[in-house]
Amino acid sequence: MKYNPCMLGYVISGASVATAVAAGYQSMAPIGQWYGRTFTGVPRGSRHIALTYDDGPNDPHTLRLLEVLAKHGVHATFFLIGRYVRQRPEIAREIVAAGHVVGNHTFSHPLLIFKSEREIKQELSECRAVLKDAIGEHSNLFRPPFGGRRPAVLRIARELGMEPVMWNVTGYDWNAPPAEEIERKAAKRIRGGDVILLHDGDHRQMGADRSQTVIATDRLIGHHRSEGYEFLTIPPMMERARAGPGL
Ligand SMILES: [Zn+2]
């Protein structure tokens, strides 16, 4: 075949499209590690599970969820949105008083991959300041909204002393499907050592109905406890990940 410069150009642009698509996928994929390590759970096979809840505080479902968690004696990790904490600081205080861990989920829940470095820094710092006002010192955990991240997001988070946390199991509960569906979708993926993403709030509005997530939580805990699983917050899960498999 005769050398054809146009074809070479075609091949190259095809390859860069594939790379760009893969990079876009990686920037949203919860367990993608191209952009630096983010915590997504401990090695498979452990009997530990971490429940995590995003987008609160939310009235009244965060408080209902706290009741269910208290009933089972389980502690979870809550990634709170700064502007909601400013609206309802007393709910954030209830979360802490009940012994749960609170992390940073930005001030206004933007997709950070489209934000400038200055805006990313501002979103993280503002949420931290609001949390500090409401509950004082809290964990250094950070979860990017929509799981969206790129190298700058992770670098800025680390510069601010924050530890990014993703997930490896989701209940797909953001559009409030029935509890059975949330439970089934999460349970199907649980292998032990998992970080489960659920929502006690909704980044679009305060007051979103999360009753189905509350019911699904009750069932997930009951079911997996009977199978010998233990529920932990993210910091002890991270300790176990650092200590290696077998713990
Ligand atoms: Zn969120």
Side-chain angles (χ1 to χ4, degrees), residues 192-240:
D194 310 281
V195 176
I196 304 179
L197 168 68
L198 292 166
H199 293 79
D200 63 318
D202 185 329
H203 68 95
R204 292 162 297 192
Q205 54 167 324
M206 169 70 71
D209 182 0
R210 292 301 187 204
S211 53
Q212 298 303 304
T213 294
V214 175
I215 297 168
T217 296
D218 193 20
R219 293 182 186 172
L220 271 171
I221 296 172
H223 183 202
H224 286 82
R225 270 262 176 83
S226 70
E227 291 185 355
Y229 285 96
E230 191 188 339
F231 289 85
L232 298 177
T233 58
I234 293 293
M237 283 283 271
M238 283 178 154
E239 282 301 311
R240 280 166 173 77

mmCIF file of all heavy atoms in Angstrom, residues 192-240:
data_model
loop_
_atom_site.group_PDB
_atom_site.id
_atom_site.type_symbol
_atom_site.label_atom_id
_atom_site.label_comp_id
_atom_site.label_asym_id
_atom_site.label_seq_id
_atom_site.Cartn_x
_atom_site.Cartn_y
_atom_site.Cartn_z
ATOM 1 N N GLY A 192 -17.375 -7.897 50.516
ATOM 2 C CA GLY A 192 -16.539 -7.721 51.713
ATOM 3 C C GLY A 192 -15.434 -6.729 51.399
ATOM 4 O O GLY A 192 -14.848 -6.758 50.313
ATOM 5 N N GLY A 193 -15.156 -5.825 52.340
ATOM 6 C CA GLY A 193 -14.149 -4.791 52.111
ATOM 7 C C GLY A 193 -14.676 -3.641 51.281
ATOM 8 O O GLY A 193 -13.900 -2.848 50.739
ATOM 9 N N ASP A 194 -15.993 -3.515 51.184
ATOM 10 C CA ASP A 194 -16.602 -2.543 50.265
ATOM 11 C C ASP A 194 -16.888 -1.186 50.912
ATOM 12 O O ASP A 194 -17.165 -1.099 52.101
ATOM 13 C CB ASP A 194 -17.940 -3.094 49.746
ATOM 14 C CG ASP A 194 -17.798 -4.499 49.215
ATOM 15 O OD1 ASP A 194 -17.334 -4.657 48.082
ATOM 16 O OD2 ASP A 194 -18.133 -5.437 49.961
ATOM 17 N N VAL A 195 -16.858 -0.161 50.053
ATOM 18 C CA VAL A 195 -17.364 1.159 50.429
ATOM 19 C C VAL A 195 -18.643 1.366 49.626
ATOM 20 O O VAL A 195 -18.617 1.368 48.387
ATOM 21 C CB VAL A 195 -16.356 2.278 50.105
ATOM 22 C CG1 VAL A 195 -16.954 3.643 50.426
ATOM 23 C CG2 VAL A 195 -15.064 2.067 50.883
ATOM 24 N N ILE A 196 -19.763 1.507 50.325
ATOM 25 C CA ILE A 196 -21.065 1.593 49.661
ATOM 26 C C ILE A 196 -21.538 3.034 49.609
ATOM 27 O O ILE A 196 -21.564 3.720 50.625
ATOM 28 C CB ILE A 196 -22.103 0.733 50.410
ATOM 29 C CG1 ILE A 196 -21.578 -0.710 50.507
ATOM 30 C CG2 ILE A 196 -23.458 0.766 49.704
ATOM 31 C CD1 ILE A 196 -22.487 -1.633 51.240
ATOM 32 N N LEU A 197 -21.901 3.470 48.408
ATOM 33 C CA LEU A 197 -22.413 4.832 48.218
ATOM 34 C C LEU A 197 -23.944 4.834 48.256
ATOM 35 O O LEU A 197 -24.603 4.145 47.476
ATOM 36 C CB LEU A 197 -21.952 5.363 46.854
ATOM 37 C CG LEU A 197 -22.645 6.648 46.377
ATOM 38 C CD1 LEU A 197 -22.258 7.836 47.241
ATOM 39 C CD2 LEU A 197 -22.322 6.929 44.911
ATOM 40 N N LEU A 198 -24.484 5.617 49.192
ATOM 41 C CA LEU A 198 -25.935 5.845 49.262
ATOM 42 C C LEU A 198 -26.156 7.345 49.481
ATOM 43 O O LEU A 198 -25.199 8.090 49.684
ATOM 44 C CB LEU A 198 -26.544 5.019 50.407
ATOM 45 C CG LEU A 198 -26.528 3.488 50.190
ATOM 46 C CD1 LEU A 198 -26.816 2.760 51.492
ATOM 47 C CD2 LEU A 198 -27.526 3.073 49.106
ATOM 48 N N HIS A 199 -27.396 7.781 49.442
ATOM 49 C CA HIS A 199 -27.700 9.219 49.570
ATOM 50 C C HIS A 199 -28.763 9.471 50.633
ATOM 51 O O HIS A 199 -29.869 8.950 50.520
ATOM 52 C CB HIS A 199 -28.186 9.778 48.223
ATOM 53 C CG HIS A 199 -27.114 9.776 47.178
ATOM 54 N ND1 HIS A 199 -26.753 8.652 46.482
ATOM 55 C CD2 HIS A 199 -26.304 10.771 46.734
ATOM 56 C CE1 HIS A 199 -25.766 8.953 45.646
ATOM 57 N NE2 HIS A 199 -25.471 10.234 45.770
ATOM 58 N N ASP A 200 -28.405 10.279 51.628
ATOM 59 C CA ASP A 200 -29.433 10.729 52.583
ATOM 60 C C ASP A 200 -29.972 12.089 52.155
ATOM 61 O O ASP A 200 -30.954 12.578 52.713
ATOM 62 C CB ASP A 200 -28.898 10.787 54.023
ATOM 63 C CG ASP A 200 -27.781 11.786 54.185
ATOM 64 O OD1 ASP A 200 -26.894 11.850 53.293
ATOM 65 O OD2 ASP A 200 -27.779 12.513 55.198
ATOM 66 N N GLY A 201 -29.333 12.714 51.165
ATOM 67 C CA GLY A 201 -29.789 14.006 50.655
ATOM 68 C C GLY A 201 -29.795 14.009 49.135
ATOM 69 O O GLY A 201 -29.580 12.973 48.501
ATOM 70 N N ASP A 202 -30.031 15.186 48.590
ATOM 71 C CA ASP A 202 -30.063 15.358 47.141
ATOM 72 C C ASP A 202 -29.433 16.716 46.846
ATOM 73 O O ASP A 202 -29.886 17.732 47.389
ATOM 74 C CB ASP A 202 -31.521 15.326 46.651
ATOM 75 C CG ASP A 202 -31.626 15.376 45.131
ATOM 76 O OD1 ASP A 202 -30.752 15.992 44.474
ATOM 77 O OD2 ASP A 202 -32.590 14.805 44.600
ATOM 78 N N HIS A 203 -28.396 16.727 45.996
ATOM 79 C CA HIS A 203 -27.692 17.998 45.773
ATOM 80 C C HIS A 203 -28.578 19.038 45.103
ATOM 81 O O HIS A 203 -28.258 20.215 45.101
ATOM 82 C CB HIS A 203 -26.426 17.756 44.944
ATOM 83 C CG HIS A 203 -26.686 17.331 43.534
ATOM 84 N ND1 HIS A 203 -26.716 18.216 42.496
ATOM 85 C CD2 HIS A 203 -26.964 16.127 42.991
ATOM 86 C CE1 HIS A 203 -26.983 17.577 41.378
ATOM 87 N NE2 HIS A 203 -27.146 16.300 41.649
ATOM 88 N N ARG A 204 -29.713 18.620 44.522
ATOM 89 C CA ARG A 204 -30.582 19.576 43.817
ATOM 90 C C ARG A 204 -31.518 20.327 44.746
ATOM 91 O O ARG A 204 -31.974 21.413 44.440
ATOM 92 C CB ARG A 204 -31.398 18.847 42.743
ATOM 93 C CG ARG A 204 -30.543 18.329 41.598
ATOM 94 C CD ARG A 204 -31.251 17.268 40.801
ATOM 95 N NE ARG A 204 -31.533 16.084 41.610
ATOM 96 C CZ ARG A 204 -31.937 14.916 41.118
ATOM 97 N NH1 ARG A 204 -32.129 14.774 39.831
ATOM 98 N NH2 ARG A 204 -32.166 13.892 41.917
ATOM 99 N N GLN A 205 -31.847 19.706 45.889
ATOM 100 C CA GLN A 205 -32.787 20.379 46.804
ATOM 101 C C GLN A 205 -32.736 19.803 48.217
ATOM 102 O O GLN A 205 -32.511 18.614 48.405
ATOM 103 C CB GLN A 205 -34.217 20.231 46.267
ATOM 104 C CG GLN A 205 -34.569 18.776 46.012
ATOM 105 C CD GLN A 205 -36.045 18.538 45.793
ATOM 106 O OE1 GLN A 205 -36.883 19.174 46.413
ATOM 107 N NE2 GLN A 205 -36.378 17.603 44.925
ATOM 108 N N MET A 206 -32.970 20.661 49.171
ATOM 109 C CA MET A 206 -33.159 20.236 50.559
ATOM 110 C C MET A 206 -34.569 19.640 50.655
ATOM 111 O O MET A 206 -35.496 20.126 50.011
ATOM 112 C CB MET A 206 -33.024 21.476 51.452
ATOM 113 C CG MET A 206 -33.435 21.324 52.891
ATOM 114 S SD MET A 206 -32.342 20.297 53.885
ATOM 115 C CE MET A 206 -30.897 21.356 54.032
ATOM 116 N N GLY A 207 -34.726 18.583 51.445
ATOM 117 C CA GLY A 207 -36.063 18.015 51.656
ATOM 118 C C GLY A 207 -36.409 16.886 50.708
ATOM 119 O O GLY A 207 -37.546 16.411 50.703
ATOM 120 N N ALA A 208 -35.446 16.441 49.886
ATOM 121 C CA ALA A 208 -35.724 15.339 48.947
ATOM 122 C C ALA A 208 -36.120 14.088 49.722
ATOM 123 O O ALA A 208 -35.630 13.847 50.820
ATOM 124 C CB ALA A 208 -34.486 15.067 48.108
ATOM 125 N N ASP A 209 -37.000 13.303 49.127
ATOM 126 C CA ASP A 209 -37.504 12.106 49.797
ATOM 127 C C ASP A 209 -36.457 10.989 49.736
ATOM 128 O O ASP A 209 -36.190 10.437 48.659
ATOM 129 C CB ASP A 209 -38.799 11.650 49.133
ATOM 130 C CG ASP A 209 -39.399 10.434 49.827
ATOM 131 O OD1 ASP A 209 -38.796 9.945 50.819
ATOM 132 O OD2 ASP A 209 -40.461 9.967 49.379
ATOM 133 N N ARG A 210 -35.873 10.669 50.856
ATOM 134 C CA ARG A 210 -34.890 9.578 50.919
ATOM 135 C C ARG A 210 -35.396 8.426 51.789
ATOM 136 O O ARG A 210 -34.605 7.653 52.337
ATOM 137 C CB ARG A 210 -33.557 10.100 51.447
ATOM 138 C CG ARG A 210 -32.858 11.040 50.494
ATOM 139 C CD ARG A 210 -32.581 10.357 49.182
ATOM 140 N NE ARG A 210 -31.758 11.151 48.278
ATOM 141 C CZ ARG A 210 -31.764 10.985 46.968
ATOM 142 N NH1 ARG A 210 -32.550 10.081 46.404
ATOM 143 N NH2 ARG A 210 -30.976 11.707 46.204
ATOM 144 N N SER A 211 -36.720 8.331 51.920
ATOM 145 C CA SER A 211 -37.275 7.281 52.783
ATOM 146 C C SER A 211 -36.898 5.884 52.288
ATOM 147 O O SER A 211 -36.680 4.979 53.095
ATOM 148 C CB SER A 211 -38.800 7.430 52.868
ATOM 149 O OG SER A 211 -39.348 7.476 51.566
ATOM 150 N N GLN A 212 -36.766 5.717 50.969
ATOM 151 C CA GLN A 212 -36.441 4.387 50.444
ATOM 152 C C GLN A 212 -34.994 3.987 50.774
ATOM 153 O O GLN A 212 -34.709 2.826 51.030
ATOM 154 C CB GLN A 212 -36.679 4.340 48.929
ATOM 155 C CG GLN A 212 -38.127 4.587 48.539
ATOM 156 C CD GLN A 212 -39.089 3.591 49.203
ATOM 157 O OE1 GLN A 212 -38.944 2.390 49.063
ATOM 158 N NE2 GLN A 212 -40.051 4.101 49.948
ATOM 159 N N THR A 213 -34.117 4.965 50.787
ATOM 160 C CA THR A 213 -32.726 4.688 51.185
ATOM 161 C C THR A 213 -32.664 4.315 52.663
ATOM 162 O O THR A 213 -31.892 3.440 53.063
ATOM 163 C CB THR A 213 -31.840 5.925 50.904
ATOM 164 O OG1 THR A 213 -31.777 6.117 49.486
ATOM 165 C CG2 THR A 213 -30.438 5.751 51.450
ATOM 166 N N VAL A 214 -33.500 4.963 53.470
ATOM 167 C CA VAL A 214 -33.534 4.654 54.907
ATOM 168 C C VAL A 214 -33.995 3.204 55.110
ATOM 169 O O VAL A 214 -33.383 2.439 55.869
ATOM 170 C CB VAL A 214 -34.456 5.647 55.653
ATOM 171 C CG1 VAL A 214 -34.605 5.256 57.119
ATOM 172 C CG2 VAL A 214 -33.908 7.070 55.538
ATOM 173 N N ILE A 215 -35.031 2.796 54.399
ATOM 174 C CA ILE A 215 -35.532 1.412 54.510
ATOM 175 C C ILE A 215 -34.479 0.428 53.990
ATOM 176 O O ILE A 215 -34.213 -0.612 54.610
ATOM 177 C CB ILE A 215 -36.856 1.254 53.712
ATOM 178 C CG1 ILE A 215 -37.946 2.148 54.295
ATOM 179 C CG2 ILE A 215 -37.308 -0.207 53.693
ATOM 180 C CD1 ILE A 215 -39.187 2.285 53.395
ATOM 181 N N ALA A 216 -33.881 0.769 52.852
ATOM 182 C CA ALA A 216 -32.854 -0.122 52.271
ATOM 183 C C ALA A 216 -31.681 -0.299 53.227
ATOM 184 O O ALA A 216 -31.131 -1.399 53.351
ATOM 185 C CB ALA A 216 -32.372 0.439 50.934
ATOM 186 N N THR A 217 -31.314 0.777 53.929
ATOM 187 C CA THR A 217 -30.217 0.697 54.904
ATOM 188 C C THR A 217 -30.557 -0.289 56.011
ATOM 189 O O THR A 217 -29.741 -1.139 56.382
ATOM 190 C CB THR A 217 -29.967 2.094 55.511
ATOM 191 O OG1 THR A 217 -29.523 2.983 54.471
ATOM 192 C CG2 THR A 217 -28.941 2.049 56.621
ATOM 193 N N ASP A 218 -31.774 -0.184 56.528
ATOM 194 C CA ASP A 218 -32.234 -1.079 57.589
ATOM 195 C C ASP A 218 -32.075 -2.537 57.143
ATOM 196 O O ASP A 218 -31.545 -3.377 57.872
ATOM 197 C CB ASP A 218 -33.709 -0.737 57.875
ATOM 198 C CG ASP A 218 -34.199 -1.377 59.154
ATOM 199 O OD1 ASP A 218 -33.357 -1.748 60.003
ATOM 200 O OD2 ASP A 218 -35.435 -1.505 59.295
ATOM 201 N N ARG A 219 -32.497 -2.829 55.925
ATOM 202 C CA ARG A 219 -32.458 -4.213 55.423
ATOM 203 C C ARG A 219 -31.035 -4.675 55.125
ATOM 204 O O ARG A 219 -30.664 -5.807 55.411
ATOM 205 C CB ARG A 219 -33.296 -4.311 54.150
ATOM 206 C CG ARG A 219 -34.755 -4.094 54.434
ATOM 207 C CD ARG A 219 -35.528 -4.242 53.148
ATOM 208 N NE ARG A 219 -36.921 -3.895 53.344
ATOM 209 C CZ ARG A 219 -37.795 -3.791 52.366
ATOM 210 N NH1 ARG A 219 -37.423 -3.998 51.127
ATOM 211 N NH2 ARG A 219 -39.048 -3.477 52.617
ATOM 212 N N LEU A 220 -30.252 -3.778 54.521
ATOM 213 C CA LEU A 220 -28.864 -4.144 54.198
ATOM 214 C C LEU A 220 -28.083 -4.511 55.458
ATOM 215 O O LEU A 220 -27.358 -5.507 55.476
ATOM 216 C CB LEU A 220 -28.161 -2.964 53.508
ATOM 217 C CG LEU A 220 -28.247 -2.851 51.999
ATOM 218 C CD1 LEU A 220 -27.683 -1.516 51.542
ATOM 219 C CD2 LEU A 220 -27.493 -4.001 51.316
ATOM 220 N N ILE A 221 -28.270 -3.707 56.498
ATOM 221 C CA ILE A 221 -27.533 -3.984 57.739
ATOM 222 C C ILE A 221 -28.014 -5.310 58.330
ATOM 223 O O ILE A 221 -27.200 -6.178 58.668
ATOM 224 C CB ILE A 221 -27.695 -2.832 58.763
ATOM 225 C CG1 ILE A 221 -27.067 -1.541 58.220
ATOM 226 C CG2 ILE A 221 -27.061 -3.215 60.095
ATOM 227 C CD1 ILE A 221 -27.333 -0.309 59.070
ATOM 228 N N GLY A 222 -29.333 -5.465 58.430
ATOM 229 C CA GLY A 222 -29.885 -6.690 59.015
ATOM 230 C C GLY A 222 -29.395 -7.927 58.275
ATOM 231 O O GLY A 222 -28.891 -8.882 58.885
ATOM 232 N N HIS A 223 -29.473 -7.882 56.971
ATOM 233 C CA HIS A 223 -29.099 -9.021 56.138
ATOM 234 C C HIS A 223 -27.617 -9.355 56.235
ATOM 235 O O HIS A 223 -27.217 -10.497 56.463
ATOM 236 C CB HIS A 223 -29.506 -8.693 54.692
ATOM 237 C CG HIS A 223 -29.240 -9.797 53.734
ATOM 238 N ND1 HIS A 223 -29.111 -9.606 52.384
ATOM 239 C CD2 HIS A 223 -29.052 -11.123 53.931
ATOM 240 C CE1 HIS A 223 -28.857 -10.760 51.795
ATOM 241 N NE2 HIS A 223 -28.821 -11.705 52.707
ATOM 242 N N HIS A 224 -26.773 -8.327 56.093
ATOM 243 C CA HIS A 224 -25.331 -8.597 56.072
ATOM 244 C C HIS A 224 -24.761 -8.890 57.448
ATOM 245 O O HIS A 224 -23.788 -9.633 57.563
ATOM 246 C CB HIS A 224 -24.588 -7.464 55.355
ATOM 247 C CG HIS A 224 -24.798 -7.531 53.880
ATOM 248 N ND1 HIS A 224 -25.918 -7.022 53.266
ATOM 249 C CD2 HIS A 224 -24.071 -8.131 52.905
ATOM 250 C CE1 HIS A 224 -25.858 -7.287 51.972
ATOM 251 N NE2 HIS A 224 -24.748 -7.950 51.729
ATOM 252 N N ARG A 225 -25.366 -8.332 58.484
ATOM 253 C CA ARG A 225 -24.958 -8.709 59.842
ATOM 254 C C ARG A 225 -25.165 -10.210 60.050
ATOM 255 O O ARG A 225 -24.311 -10.896 60.603
ATOM 256 C CB ARG A 225 -25.820 -7.951 60.853
ATOM 257 C CG ARG A 225 -25.256 -6.618 61.259
ATOM 258 C CD ARG A 225 -24.535 -6.806 62.601
ATOM 259 N NE ARG A 225 -23.877 -5.594 63.034
ATOM 260 C CZ ARG A 225 -24.500 -4.613 63.667
ATOM 261 N NH1 ARG A 225 -25.792 -4.696 63.947
ATOM 262 N NH2 ARG A 225 -23.830 -3.550 64.046
ATOM 263 N N SER A 226 -26.320 -10.704 59.580
ATOM 264 C CA SER A 226 -26.621 -12.123 59.789
ATOM 265 C C SER A 226 -25.647 -13.002 59.003
ATOM 266 O O SER A 226 -25.484 -14.178 59.300
ATOM 267 C CB SER A 226 -28.071 -12.427 59.399
ATOM 268 O OG SER A 226 -28.209 -12.327 57.996
ATOM 269 N N GLU A 227 -24.972 -12.424 58.024
ATOM 270 C CA GLU A 227 -23.956 -13.179 57.273
ATOM 271 C C GLU A 227 -22.553 -12.950 57.824
ATOM 272 O O GLU A 227 -21.563 -13.361 57.195
ATOM 273 C CB GLU A 227 -23.991 -12.778 55.791
ATOM 274 C CG GLU A 227 -25.255 -13.243 55.089
ATOM 275 C CD GLU A 227 -25.232 -12.948 53.591
ATOM 276 O OE1 GLU A 227 -24.284 -12.296 53.118
ATOM 277 O OE2 GLU A 227 -26.192 -13.379 52.925
ATOM 278 N N GLY A 228 -22.468 -12.263 58.954
ATOM 279 C CA GLY A 228 -21.172 -12.102 59.606
ATOM 280 C C GLY A 228 -20.383 -10.867 59.227
ATOM 281 O O GLY A 228 -19.212 -10.742 59.571
ATOM 282 N N TYR A 229 -21.007 -9.930 58.530
ATOM 283 C CA TYR A 229 -20.304 -8.690 58.184
ATOM 284 C C TYR A 229 -20.345 -7.700 59.339
ATOM 285 O O TYR A 229 -21.288 -7.674 60.124
ATOM 286 C CB TYR A 229 -20.940 -8.040 56.949
ATOM 287 C CG TYR A 229 -20.608 -8.739 55.657
ATOM 288 C CD1 TYR A 229 -21.480 -9.684 55.115
ATOM 289 C CD2 TYR A 229 -19.428 -8.457 54.976
ATOM 290 C CE1 TYR A 229 -21.179 -10.327 53.919
ATOM 291 C CE2 TYR A 229 -19.120 -9.091 53.786
ATOM 292 C CZ TYR A 229 -19.997 -10.024 53.259
ATOM 293 O OH TYR A 229 -19.695 -10.655 52.085
ATOM 294 N N GLU A 230 -19.292 -6.871 59.373
ATOM 295 C CA GLU A 230 -19.229 -5.809 60.381
ATOM 296 C C GLU A 230 -19.182 -4.468 59.648
ATOM 297 O O GLU A 230 -18.498 -4.342 58.625
ATOM 298 C CB GLU A 230 -17.946 -5.992 61.209
ATOM 299 C CG GLU A 230 -17.872 -5.128 62.439
ATOM 300 C CD GLU A 230 -16.498 -5.211 63.114
ATOM 301 O OE1 GLU A 230 -15.776 -6.200 62.874
ATOM 302 O OE2 GLU A 230 -16.155 -4.273 63.843
ATOM 303 N N PHE A 231 -19.910 -3.496 60.184
ATOM 304 C CA PHE A 231 -19.970 -2.176 59.537
ATOM 305 C C PHE A 231 -19.042 -1.200 60.232
ATOM 306 O O PHE A 231 -19.105 -1.031 61.445
ATOM 307 C CB PHE A 231 -21.416 -1.656 59.550
ATOM 308 C CG PHE A 231 -22.299 -2.421 58.611
ATOM 309 C CD1 PHE A 231 -22.902 -3.615 59.006
ATOM 310 C CD2 PHE A 231 -22.507 -1.971 57.308
ATOM 311 C CE1 PHE A 231 -23.701 -4.335 58.132
ATOM 312 C CE2 PHE A 231 -23.306 -2.696 56.424
ATOM 313 C CZ PHE A 231 -23.906 -3.879 56.839
ATOM 314 N N LEU A 232 -18.193 -0.540 59.440
ATOM 315 C CA LEU A 232 -17.203 0.391 59.977
ATOM 316 C C LEU A 232 -17.317 1.736 59.267
ATOM 317 O O LEU A 232 -17.863 1.813 58.166
ATOM 318 C CB LEU A 232 -15.783 -0.130 59.726
ATOM 319 C CG LEU A 232 -15.375 -1.460 60.359
ATOM 320 C CD1 LEU A 232 -13.958 -1.812 59.910
ATOM 321 C CD2 LEU A 232 -15.430 -1.377 61.868
ATOM 322 N N THR A 233 -16.741 2.764 59.899
ATOM 323 C CA THR A 233 -16.626 4.049 59.199
ATOM 324 C C THR A 233 -15.360 4.006 58.327
ATOM 325 O O THR A 233 -14.572 3.054 58.402
ATOM 326 C CB THR A 233 -16.543 5.226 60.188
ATOM 327 O OG1 THR A 233 -15.422 5.005 61.040
ATOM 328 C CG2 THR A 233 -17.821 5.351 61.009
ATOM 329 N N ILE A 234 -15.158 5.044 57.523
ATOM 330 C CA ILE A 234 -14.018 5.042 56.596
ATOM 331 C C ILE A 234 -12.649 5.050 57.310
ATOM 332 O O ILE A 234 -11.759 4.293 56.902
ATOM 333 C CB ILE A 234 -14.120 6.227 55.603
ATOM 334 C CG1 ILE A 234 -15.333 6.027 54.668
ATOM 335 C CG2 ILE A 234 -12.840 6.387 54.790
ATOM 336 C CD1 ILE A 234 -15.221 4.851 53.715
ATOM 337 N N PRO A 235 -12.422 5.869 58.366
ATOM 338 C CA PRO A 235 -11.060 5.854 58.938
ATOM 339 C C PRO A 235 -10.572 4.464 59.384
ATOM 340 O O PRO A 235 -9.456 4.072 58.999
ATOM 341 C CB PRO A 235 -11.154 6.862 60.094
ATOM 342 C CG PRO A 235 -12.218 7.820 59.627
ATOM 343 C CD PRO A 235 -13.236 6.958 58.918
ATOM 344 N N PRO A 236 -11.363 3.670 60.123
ATOM 345 C CA PRO A 236 -10.858 2.324 60.439
ATOM 346 C C PRO A 236 -10.737 1.409 59.217
ATOM 347 O O PRO A 236 -9.871 0.531 59.186
ATOM 348 C CB PRO A 236 -11.876 1.768 61.441
ATOM 349 C CG PRO A 236 -13.032 2.677 61.432
ATOM 350 C CD PRO A 236 -12.574 3.987 60.888
ATOM 351 N N MET A 237 -11.569 1.642 58.203
ATOM 352 C CA MET A 237 -11.411 0.867 56.961
ATOM 353 C C MET A 237 -10.055 1.186 56.328
ATOM 354 O O MET A 237 -9.364 0.308 55.815
ATOM 355 C CB MET A 237 -12.514 1.209 55.956
ATOM 356 C CG MET A 237 -13.852 0.584 56.233
ATOM 357 S SD MET A 237 -13.955 -1.173 55.790
ATOM 358 C CE MET A 237 -14.490 -1.062 54.095
ATOM 359 N N MET A 238 -9.677 2.474 56.356
ATOM 360 C CA MET A 238 -8.392 2.876 55.783
ATOM 361 C C MET A 238 -7.240 2.251 56.559
ATOM 362 O O MET A 238 -6.247 1.823 55.972
ATOM 363 C CB MET A 238 -8.257 4.399 55.814
ATOM 364 C CG MET A 238 -9.063 5.078 54.733
ATOM 365 S SD MET A 238 -8.888 6.873 54.868
ATOM 366 C CE MET A 238 -9.188 7.334 53.164
ATOM 367 N N GLU A 239 -7.385 2.209 57.883
ATOM 368 C CA GLU A 239 -6.365 1.571 58.722
ATOM 369 C C GLU A 239 -6.154 0.139 58.286
ATOM 370 O O GLU A 239 -5.035 -0.346 58.172
ATOM 371 C CB GLU A 239 -6.804 1.585 60.195
ATOM 372 C CG GLU A 239 -6.609 2.924 60.880
ATOM 373 C CD GLU A 239 -5.147 3.342 60.848
ATOM 374 O OE1 GLU A 239 -4.287 2.511 61.208
ATOM 375 O OE2 GLU A 239 -4.859 4.492 60.434
ATOM 376 N N ARG A 240 -7.252 -0.548 58.045
ATOM 377 C CA ARG A 240 -7.164 -1.959 57.650
ATOM 378 C C ARG A 240 -6.543 -2.107 56.268
ATOM 379 O O ARG A 240 -5.801 -3.044 56.009
ATOM 380 C CB ARG A 240 -8.549 -2.608 57.697
ATOM 381 C CG ARG A 240 -8.921 -2.981 59.110
ATOM 382 C CD ARG A 240 -10.384 -3.311 59.264
ATOM 383 N NE ARG A 240 -10.667 -3.831 60.599
ATOM 384 C CZ ARG A 240 -10.763 -3.101 61.696
ATOM 385 N NH1 ARG A 240 -10.601 -1.798 61.633
ATOM 386 N NH2 ARG A 240 -11.004 -3.662 62.869
#
